């Protein structure tokens, strides 16, 4: 039911039926429809109830301006509420999933909306924070964004040292000060790795013979036990405070990464990734990813070895198994919402097509979320045709926006501007490791050094995940050059988000200083905000310092350089996290905020109207917004929307000071990104040749090196 379809004075229909909720509410943002005359916000709320319940209802009401505004009349600000019926997405003997679809008109002011679910109760007697509220931008605003990743704990984490998801308390504090319009999950919103330690894969993981492990069947019984594990783990984690409260008040956008399935999924050797157990848990994880993180109905069935129809994709999804549908309801024939960019063919290890995202984040920001896990192998991140779908969609949307879009935010599961670790890859995959691997296989020597899946060095799957890994080098260059071309053609600034690596950093691509292009006019200037983990433990100081020492000037191509930026001008709260000389990597739990700069600062930067001289290299600030980066920058509080750089973006990294402080006290570091005003440079004019980046298409990266699509049609 659309809010705008209901008469302004429609009465809210209350229900007295009790709704036994085991998880939720979870609030999602879907997309916006923007026209010259109106802007419509689309979102959803999900609850998980006990099975066999009556249809629940949600009551929605506008609560007025997010910030009290005397120019808004009380009649306009406080509308009569509407009632929205829940749509059942899925139900089995464990639970029922209900979605409430929200469609709201944006106003001339930033508005707060509140909602309740009459009769709601938690069976365990947990507190109900009702009503819940959320904030949407005005018609003329771009959204304030919060970005996080790695929201869970790796197996073996010492919970005495790393207490709960405390940093979400700082998220809620900043949200109370200046509400986020959306929170972007960059992958690993949940850690499911425990399935092999205290879950149904424990026995399989302990099989010492690699051949027996690879050929082990994934029958319906194992699927059912894995299904129970993933469901219970989602319910447990999404009900953990303060993450739970944020879920109900800040609309989410998510993509998945390996831990949403299991550590390293997609980056082990192909012959091992093709094993039935990996393909089976890939299907089950996809099911609950659809439900909990995207509020859409899952596939009717997932992969098992004793139902041949599920072992091959039919019309882009696993075939139906009558056993899995027994006493089960799955919503069918649902219309896909227009945020999806769905891949053309299933992934090599999951019998589903990739689900990439396009969304409009308010007036001037567009967003692309790249599903870099469904199609991933050790030698590719995404299929070439998926990139074509993404860039074709971008071209259509920018053309339709008639010049309104000024920023493109690109979400990736892992960083793309990050120190090279090829030397470490070479060592870990070299012949000198072979004798140690043999000792491990026979006697368990150096057991923690090798993973229990394919017997390779445990760090290798993480290194192979990186865009900077040698096997992804060509694909990486292709993707960045496509983004550069898009940025140049439309004069749109591109900013990239990436997590995964459990520390904070700011990488950036930029024009080689020899080209003498200022950042304000440089379509190659793209920042990669690296923010993780919001919950998981960070790496040791030594690792962060090692990465900082590897912070060299790299050359993507003759025109493009890249390196990390000096950002961290002091230790958070005076607590040593890394070496005092290390200004580029921060090994502490963290998250990021992105805010469009609405007005120039009234008494801000003395260099407000200056353009910095072009530096020798990227170890120096590239523009005014970087020159004052750090704790004293106006953006460091995570909420500031003023700066000397009108129309650009304020970026903050909020860093946890003490993991044992349950309030999640944080220290902020900030800088600004300028709006792009592309001016063709002398170099570009001299070399303006028809550079068809389609010709750079991933011929070398792709098909010859992809594993045979044995499981795809």
């Amino acid at each position: 039911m659309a809010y705008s379809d209901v008469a302004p004075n429609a009465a809210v229909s209350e229900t007295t039926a009790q709704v036994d909720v085991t998880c939720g509410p979870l609030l999602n943002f879907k997309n916006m429809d923007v026209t010259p005359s109106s802007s419509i916000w689309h979102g959803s709320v999900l609850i998980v109830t006990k099975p066999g319940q009556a249809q629940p209802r949600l009551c929605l009401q506008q609560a007025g301006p997010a910030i009290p505004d005397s120019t808004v009349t009380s009649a306009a600000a406080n509308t009569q509420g509407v009632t929205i019926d829940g749509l059942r997405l899925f139900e089995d003997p464990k639970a029922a999933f209900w979605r409430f679809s929200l469609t709201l008109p944006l106003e001339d002011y930033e508005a707060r909306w509140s909602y309740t679910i009459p009769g709601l109760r938690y069976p365990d007697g947990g507190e109900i924070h009702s009503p819940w509220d959320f904030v949407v931008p005005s018609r003329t605003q771009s959204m304030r964004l919060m970005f996080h990743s790695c929201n869970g704990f790796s197996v073996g984490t010492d919970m005495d040292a790393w207490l709960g998801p405390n940093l979400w308390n700082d998220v809620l504090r900043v949200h109370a000060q200046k509400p986020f319009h959306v929170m972007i999950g960059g992958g690993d919103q949940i850690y499911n790795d425990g399935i092999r330690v205290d879950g149904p894969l424990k026995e399989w993981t302990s099989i010492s013979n690699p051949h027996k492990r690879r050929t082990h069947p994934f029958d319906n019984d194992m699927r059912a036990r894995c299904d129970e594990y993933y469901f219970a783990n989602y319910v447990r984690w999404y009900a953990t405070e303060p993450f739970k409260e944020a879920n109900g008040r800040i609309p989410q956008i998510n993509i998945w990464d390996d831990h949403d399935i299991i550590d390293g999924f997609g980056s082990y050797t192909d012959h091992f990734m093709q094993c039935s157990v990996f393909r089976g848990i890939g299907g089950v994880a996809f099911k609950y990813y659809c439900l909990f993180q995207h509020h859409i109905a899952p596939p009717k069935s997932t992969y098992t070895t004793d139902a041949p129809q599920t072992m091959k994709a039919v019309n882009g999804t696993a075939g139906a198994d009558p056993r899995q549908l027994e006493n089960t309801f799955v919503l069918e024939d649902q219309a896909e919402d227009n945020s999806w960019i769905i891949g053309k063919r299933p992934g090599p290890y999951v019998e589903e097509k990739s689900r990439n995202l396009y969304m409009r984040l308010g007036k001037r920001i567009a967003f692309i979320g790249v599903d870099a896990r469904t199609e991933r192998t050790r030698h590719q991140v995404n299929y070439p045709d998926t990139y074509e779908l993404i860039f074709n969609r971008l071209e259509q949307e920018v053309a339709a926006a008639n010049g309104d879009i000024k920023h493109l935010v690109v979400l990736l599961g892992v960083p793309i501007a990050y120190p090279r670790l090829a030397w470490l890859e070479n060592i870990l995959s070299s012949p000198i490791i072979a004798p140690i691997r043999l000792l491990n296989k026979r006697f368990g020597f150096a057991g923690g050094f090798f993973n229990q899946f394919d017997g390779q060095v445990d760090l290798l799957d993480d290194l192979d995940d990186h865009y900077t890994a040698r096997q992804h080098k060509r694909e990486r260059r292709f993707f960045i050059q496509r983004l550069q071309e898009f940025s140049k053609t439309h004069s749109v600034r591109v900013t990239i988000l990436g997590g995964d690596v459990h520390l904070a950093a700011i990488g950036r691509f930029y024009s080689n200083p020899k080209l003498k292009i200022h950042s304000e006019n440089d379509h190659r200037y793209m920042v990669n905000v690296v923010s993780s983990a919001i919950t998981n433990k960070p790496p040791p100081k030594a690792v962060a310092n090692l990465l900082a020492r590897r912070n060299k000037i790299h050359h993507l191509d003759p025109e493009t350089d890249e390196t990390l930026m000096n950002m961290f001008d002091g230790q958070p709260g005076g607590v040593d996290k890394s070496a005092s000389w290390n200004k580029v990597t921060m090994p502490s739990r963290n998250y990021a905020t992105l805010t469009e700069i609405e007005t120039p600062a009234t008494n801000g930067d003395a260099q407000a109207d200056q353009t910095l001289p072009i530096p020798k290299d990227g170890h120096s600030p590239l523009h005014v917004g970087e020159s004052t980066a750090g704790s004293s920058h106006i953006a460091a509080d995570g909420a500031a929307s003023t700066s000397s750089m009108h129309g650009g973006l304020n970026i903050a990294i909020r860093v946890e000071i003490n993991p044992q402080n349950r309030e999640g006290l944080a220290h902020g570091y900030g800088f600004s990104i300028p709006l792009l005003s592309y001016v063709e440079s002398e170099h570009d004019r001299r070399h303006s040749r028809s550079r068809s980046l389609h010709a750079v298409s991933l011929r070398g990266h792709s098909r010859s090196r992809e594993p045979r699509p044995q499981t795809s049609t």
Side-chain angles (χ1 to χ4, degrees), residues 11-17 57-59 82-83 116-119:
V12 175
S13 174
E14 296 284 350
T15 176
T16 57
R57 313 184 90 182
L58 180 145
C59 300
V82 297
T83 300
T116 60
I117 301 169

Side-chain angles (χ1 to χ4, degrees), residues 625-697:
E626 291 186 359
S627 65
T628 55
S631 305
S632 59
H633 192 280
I634 193 170
D637 67 356
S641 59
T642 59
S643 175
S644 60
M645 309 180 76
H646 180 59
L649 294 176
N650 273 341
I651 309 293
I653 300 287
R654 302 282 297 169
V655 176
E656 182 181 59
I657 297 171
N658 179 358
Q660 293 191 304
N661 176 270
R662 292 190 179 274
E663 296 303 309
L665 298 180
H667 185 108
Y669 302 84
F671 74 106
S672 299
I673 296 174
L675 197 65
L676 175 62
S677 178
Y678 175 69
V679 177
E680 190 175 34
S681 67
E682 181 181 347
H683 174 273
D684 289 339
R685 280 194 299 272
R686 252 192 352 256
H687 298 277
S688 78
R689 56 197 180 276
S690 176
R691 179 158 107 180
S692 171
L693 289 172
H694 294 281
V696 186
S697 95

Side-chain angles (χ1 to χ4, degrees), residues 269-402:
T269 54
D270 177 60
H271 73 282
F272 185 63
M273 282 303 313
Q274 291 284 358
C275 81
S276 294
V277 170
F278 262 43
R279 290 162 67 189
I281 62 171
V284 177
F286 183 84
K287 169 185 175 179
Y288 287 111
Y289 171 61
C290 287
L291 286 165
F292 281 96
Q293 299 198 40
H294 290 294
H295 306 183
I296 61 174
K300 294 176 71 173
S301 302
T302 63
Y303 177 101
T304 63
T305 50
D306 52 0
Q309 65 270 36
T310 65
M311 298 173 67
K312 185 170 71 173
V314 178
N315 297 324
T317 190
D321 176 5
R323 298 171 307 167
Q324 295 185 43
L325 294 172
E326 187 176 353
N327 299 319
T328 296
F329 167 84
V330 183
L331 178 66
E332 297 185 70
D333 302 321
Q334 59 178 333
E336 299 282 9
D337 68 68
N338 64 357
S339 62
W340 292 117
I341 306 172
I342 299 176
K344 291 184 175 180
R345 50 200 168 111
Y349 312 128
V350 178
E351 298 305 324
E352 305 295 335
K353 295 178 179 178
S354 65
R355 286 182 168 265
N356 309 278
L357 292 166
Y358 172 85
M359 295 172 178
R360 184 78 170 265
L361 303 185
K363 183 68 173 177
R364 288 166 294 276
I365 300 179
F367 169 85
I368 286 286
V370 179
D371 177 353
R373 192 54 54 181
T374 304
E375 298 172 355
R376 178 181 288 273
T377 73
R378 201 162 198 157
H379 297 290
Q380 77 173 19
V381 180
N382 287 100
Y383 296 140
D385 43 288
T386 297
Y387 288 110
E388 293 306 311
L389 290 171
I390 290 171
F391 281 99
N392 288 343
R393 176 68 179 273
L394 271 178
E395 292 293 334
Q396 294 168 13
E397 296 288 349
V398 171
N402 296 315

